[in-house]
């Protein structure tokens, strides 16, 4: 028989995770009474629940959300909650009832009954439906993971671009800006989580850091090549100056002339004093030491004025640094991709 809802006692059973407003629930005005002491009430509810999500393996994550039925007033001694059907039947009904899942795959529903004890002898009985969903990752892999990996490959391929044309630096800056745009998109997709950083965030940040270091290395290469070009210009200028100026033309011959003049002085002095013991002559020894010091000073001054790095020296240094950094960059990228794949899949 059917009776009005107000004529029958109905327990205060609610959903603990419910955050929907009162307008989303339509209560049935009638209650069906059966001969076996069963009272059936059917209410329509559009349920909005809160669910704690673990986004560590996003977008390859699996989420579990619970719907907990319990009474806020009546204890376990007064009321017990039981499922209306078995777990298999509930899963079958759920799959038949779901019309759309968007980005989720429904894996199943598990039912458990628990008794809560908040202290003392009083216990509350509750019925928990645990719903397990798995995210469909294809869209995120195509839009985020693959483009960032492609940018990493492009950054590695940019090492084969010549530094002379000046296009390498602009190309790397473009890659860095493109990764920044994808990071902004990822920031809009992922909610803020304080527990742990998602794997995809680590993936993007490390690739962004590698690309930034690669950009700094390219700046260093450009600086060394520019320094080499300046050295080349200085050498050419010095050569022209030495051709036009008599003093610079003979700058390397001055020590030789001074040495020859010193030897002539020593020889002249020896000829005048052949009969004496010249090793015991302090004036002769002082003259020899003075002339040797003059020759050393002249050679030092010549090296300061005329001795410079050869053209191409800094370019060779830049090439060696570039080759070493490329090998290190490639090894680091491969190890990181293997590590991040292991974190995602396991």
């Amino acid at each position: 028989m059917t009776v009005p809802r107000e004529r029958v006692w109905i327990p205060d059973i609610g959903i603990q995770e419910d955050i929907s407003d009162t307008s989303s629930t339509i209560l049935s005005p009638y209650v069906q009474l059966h001969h076996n002491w069963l009272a059936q009430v059917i209410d329509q509810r559009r349920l909005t629940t809160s669910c704690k999500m673990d986004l560590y393996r996003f977008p390859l994550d699996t989420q579990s959300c619970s719907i907990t039925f319990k009474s806020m007033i009546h204890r376990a001694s007064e009321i017990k909650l039981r499922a209306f059907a078995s777990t298999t039947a509930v899963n079958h009904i759920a799959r038949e009832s779901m019309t759309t899942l968007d980005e989720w795959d429904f894996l199943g529903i598990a039912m458990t009954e628990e008794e809560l004890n908040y202290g003392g002898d009083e216990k509350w009985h509750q019925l928990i439906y645990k719903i397990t969903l798995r995210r469909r990752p294809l869209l995120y892999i195509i839009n985020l993971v693959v483009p960032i990996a492609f940018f990493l490959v492009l950054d590695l391929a940019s090492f084969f671009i010549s530094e002379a044309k000046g296009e390498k630096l602009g190309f790397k800056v473009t890659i860095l800006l493109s990764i920044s745009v994808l990071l902004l998109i990822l920031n809009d997709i992922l909610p803020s989580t304080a527990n742990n950083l998602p794997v995809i965030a680590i993936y993007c940040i490390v690739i962004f850091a590698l690309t930034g270091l690669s950009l700094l290395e390219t700046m260093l290469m450009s600086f060394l090549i520019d320094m080499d070009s300046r050295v080349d210009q200085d050498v050419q200028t010095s050569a022209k100056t030495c051709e036009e100026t008599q003093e610079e033309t003979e700058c390397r011959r001055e020590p030789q002339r001074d040495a020859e003049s010193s030897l002539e002085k020593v020889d002249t002095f020896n000829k005048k004093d052949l009969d004496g013991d010249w090793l015991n002559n302090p004036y002769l020894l002082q003259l020899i030491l003075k002339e040797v010091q003059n020759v050393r000073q002249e050679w030092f001054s010549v090296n300061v004025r005329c001795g410079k790095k050869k053209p191409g020296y800094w370019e060779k240094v830049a090439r060696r640094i570039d080759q070493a950094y490329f090998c290190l960059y490639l090894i680091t990228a491969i190890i990181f991709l293997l590590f991040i794949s292991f974190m995602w899949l396991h």
Side-chain angles (χ1 to χ4, degrees):
M1 59 181 296
T2 303
V3 298
R5 186 186 186 97
E6 295 81 8
R7 301 290 300 273
V8 181
W9 173 80
I10 299 176
D12 61 328
I13 299 175
I15 299 177
Q16 181 177 347
E17 296 84 5
D18 187 12
I19 58 173
S20 55
D21 53 8
T22 56
S23 61
S24 61
T25 302
I26 301 177
L27 300 178
S28 176
Y30 300 102
V31 178
Q32 289 184 354
L33 301 179
H34 298 270
H35 67 281
N36 56 355
W37 304 95
L38 175 65
Q40 184 177 7
V41 182
I42 300 176
D43 297 331
Q44 296 181 6
R45 174 172 298 189
R46 185 180 61 193
L47 183 63
T48 303
T49 63
S50 61
C51 180
K52 185 178 181 180
M53 303 183 72
D54 184 11
L55 299 175
Y56 180 73
R57 297 180 64 246
F58 177 89
L60 304 176
D61 55 331
T62 300
Q63 305 296 336
S64 297
C65 297
S66 299
I67 299 177
T68 305
F69 293 88
K70 69 177 184 178
S71 176
M72 303 300 295
I73 299 176
H74 302 284
R75 275 59 172 177
S77 58
E78 300 173 345
I79 184 172
K80 291 186 179 295
L81 301 177
R82 295 287 185 270
F84 71 95
S86 63
T87 303
T88 304
V90 170
N91 281 276
H92 177 73
I93 295 173
R95 287 188 174 90
E96 293 293 332
S97 302
M98 290 182 180
T99 57
T100 177
L101 285 172
D102 295 332
E103 60 175 316
W104 298 96
D105 286 330
F106 176 74
L107 298 182
I109 298 178
M111 295 184 299
T112 57
E113 297 179 8
E114 294 182 357
E115 287 188 358
L116 298 179
N117 187 359
Y118 297 106
D121 298 332
E122 300 294 338
K123 295 182 180 180
W124 281 262
H125 193 267
Q126 61 183 12
L127 179 63
I128 302 175
Y129 289 87
K130 188 175 182 180
I131 304 172
T132 305
L133 301 173
R134 181 176 57 200
R135 194 187 303 271
R136 295 172 180 173
L138 182 60
L139 182 63
Y140 298 99
I141 291 176
I142 294 176
N143 291 335
L144 289 176
V145 179
V146 173
I148 293 179
F150 183 67
F151 287 142
L152 179 62
V153 174
L154 286 179
D155 191 45
L156 287 170
S158 65
F159 281 88
F160 299 98
I161 300 177
S162 176
E163 294 280 357
K165 296 182 180 180
E167 300 176 355
K168 185 176 181 179
L169 185 61
F171 183 74
K172 285 182 175 291
V173 171
T174 304
I175 293 177
L176 195 65
L177 293 177
S178 302
I179 297 177
S180 301
V181 173
L182 292 179
L183 286 177
L184 292 176
I185 297 175
L186 180 64
N187 186 41
D188 295 335
I189 294 175
L190 291 179
S192 58
T193 55
N195 294 333
N196 48 14
L197 196 64
V199 177
I200 191 171
I202 301 174
Y203 170 75
C204 296
I205 291 173
V206 172
I207 291 182
F208 184 82
L210 290 175
T211 309
L213 292 176
S214 176
L215 178 61
L216 294 177
E217 187 266 346
T218 304
M219 293 180 181
L220 178 61
M221 295 302 103
S222 301
F223 174 75
L224 293 178
I225 293 177
D226 291 341
M227 182 182 295
D228 187 73
S229 63
R230 288 196 297 268
V231 170
D232 192 11
Q233 292 177 0
D234 293 340
V235 170
Q236 293 177 1
T237 304
S238 300
K240 292 180 180 179
T241 305
C242 289
E243 291 176 359
E244 296 174 358
T245 307
Q246 182 179 2
E247 181 182 359
E248 294 295 334
T249 306
E250 297 180 356
C251 63
R252 294 187 180 275
R253 298 179 182 176
E254 293 176 358
Q256 184 177 359
R257 292 177 180 177
D258 294 338
E260 293 175 355
S261 176
S262 300
L263 291 176
E264 289 176 358
K265 293 179 181 179
V266 174
D267 186 45
T268 303
F269 184 81
N270 288 334
K271 288 179 180 179
K272 293 179 180 181
D273 197 16
L274 290 174
D275 297 333
D277 190 1
W278 63 274
L279 291 176
N280 296 325
N281 193 332
Y283 179 74
L284 178 61
L285 294 177
Q286 184 178 5
L287 179 62
I288 293 174
L289 291 176
K290 183 176 180 180
E291 293 301 327
V292 170
Q293 290 177 357
N294 291 334
V295 170
R296 291 181 61 186
Q297 290 178 358
E298 290 296 333
W299 274 111
F300 178 76
S301 62
V302 168
N303 289 332
V304 171
R305 285 183 290 152
C306 303
K308 296 181 179 179
K309 295 292 184 183
K310 296 181 180 179
Y313 173 78
W314 293 112
E315 185 176 359
K316 292 179 181 179
V317 174
R319 298 302 178 192
R320 292 176 182 177
I321 295 176
D322 192 50
Q323 293 174 1
Y325 183 79
F326 174 75
C327 296
L328 180 63
Y329 189 12
L330 181 61
I331 294 173
T332 304
I334 293 174
I335 294 175
F336 171 72
L337 291 178
L338 293 176
F339 174 72
I340 210 72
S341 300
F342 177 80
M343 294 177 65
W344 247 326
L345 299 177
H346 296 80

